[in-house]
Amino acid sequence: DDTYQPMYSLHFQMPRISGFMCDLNPARSGAVYCERGPDSYIVTFMNVPVYSSSGQYPPENNHTFQMELFFDGAIRLTWQSLYATNAVVGLSAGLGVAPDFETEDFTGLEDCNGGYSGDCHSADINEDWRISLDELLLVVQLYSVGEYHCDEGTDDGYAPGSGARDCSPHDSDYAPADWQITIRELLRLIQLYNAGGYRPDDASEDGFSVVM
């Protein structure tokens, strides 16, 4: 439907998934992508601003979030950047507002840095579930030399060249784990970097998948 007011009473009027229900304006800028993955349908809002009656759209007025509908029935909502302070998120069966429904103000919740269970990628030194450029360049060094080893004195626990191998191989070294990072393995990390976020995924080859 064309509902744009961020009101939970409207949200519950019909079956829906509200990723970030407010007056978003993709006609102004940004994009909305819909795709079918191997195990889910994915809808991504990328840098979409909220409507401004004044016609002023500052750079920070953008919203990037994603809705994933897995074929096993699971639904995941992920938010990367938000600007509007009033919106509705969640699921609705279309049966109206439940008598015991309670709202939650997300601005009062503690930041959980991704909220994923499991270990972060070896390249993710600050463990924020994102690969920064500096973190990526450290792995580029390991790739450029041709081999690497364990080194507790470095930020990520690894160093280029030969040496001790008494720790777990780097997560970018997986096909196979042979203490050498190939161009294919490096390109995988670049994919995680370009995505802006990642999450654990036991079903993937390297144990991770991208999050928009």
Side-chain angles (χ1 to χ4, degrees):
D1 72 338
D2 58 1
T3 298
Y4 63 89
Q5 297 97 333
M7 300 171 59
Y8 63 83
S9 58
L10 296 176
H11 162 78
F12 284 112
Q13 282 184 350
M14 63 183 296
R16 74 170 86 232
I17 301 171
S18 293
F20 197 74
M21 183 179 177
C22 64
D23 195 3
L24 295 177
N25 186 16
R28 170 74 185 199
S29 61
V32 180
Y33 302 98
C34 303
E35 60 181 317
R36 174 172 176 161
D39 61 351
S40 63
Y41 285 106
I42 305 168
V43 179
T44 304
F45 282 66
M46 182 72 70
N47 296 325
V48 176
V50 68
Y51 173 77
S52 172
S53 59
S54 67
Q56 301 298 314
Y57 288 84
E60 61 269 22
N61 181 0
N62 68 80
H63 304 76
T64 297
F65 59 94
Q66 188 175 76
M67 294 167 281
E68 298 171 274
L69 285 68
F70 292 91
F71 299 156
D72 64 3
I75 297 174
R76 176 168 55 220
L77 307 181
T78 305
W79 302 276
Q80 181 172 321
S81 61
L82 303 172
Y83 173 78
T85 58
N86 189 19
V88 175
V89 301
L91 311 180
S92 167
L95 303 177
V97 181
D100 57 350
F101 171 73
E102 294 183 5
T103 62
E104 178 71 71
D105 182 358
F106 279 21
T107 61
L109 301 181
E110 182 179 352
D111 184 3
C112 57
N113 291 327
Y116 303 117
S117 60
D119 295 329
C120 293
H121 196 287
S122 300
D124 185 9
I125 297 173
N126 63 357
E127 299 184 347
D128 64 351
W129 298 101
R130 295 178 177 85
I131 305 299
S132 69
L133 179 58
D134 289 341
E135 292 168 338
L136 173 62
L137 291 177
L138 288 177
V139 182
V140 171
Q141 291 179 359
L142 305 183
Y143 159 76
S144 299
V145 173
E147 62 177 338
Y148 68 97
H149 65 278
C150 306
D151 187 344
E152 295 181 354
T154 63
D155 290 337
D156 60 354
Y158 302 95
S162 60
R165 292 175 177 172
D166 53 357
C167 64
S168 299
H170 197 285
D171 284 327
S172 286
D173 176 19
Y174 63 90
D178 56 2
W179 299 96
Q180 296 178 333
I181 295 177
T182 66
I183 183 61
R184 173 193 169 193
E185 292 168 332
L186 179 62
L187 289 175
R188 171 56 173 166
L189 185 65
I190 292 175
Q191 182 183 32
L192 300 184
Y193 162 74
N194 286 332
Y198 70 96
R199 62 178 176 87
D201 187 350
D202 293 336
S204 69
E205 187 176 15
D206 63 346
F208 303 95
S209 60
V210 300
V211 172
M212 299 301 296

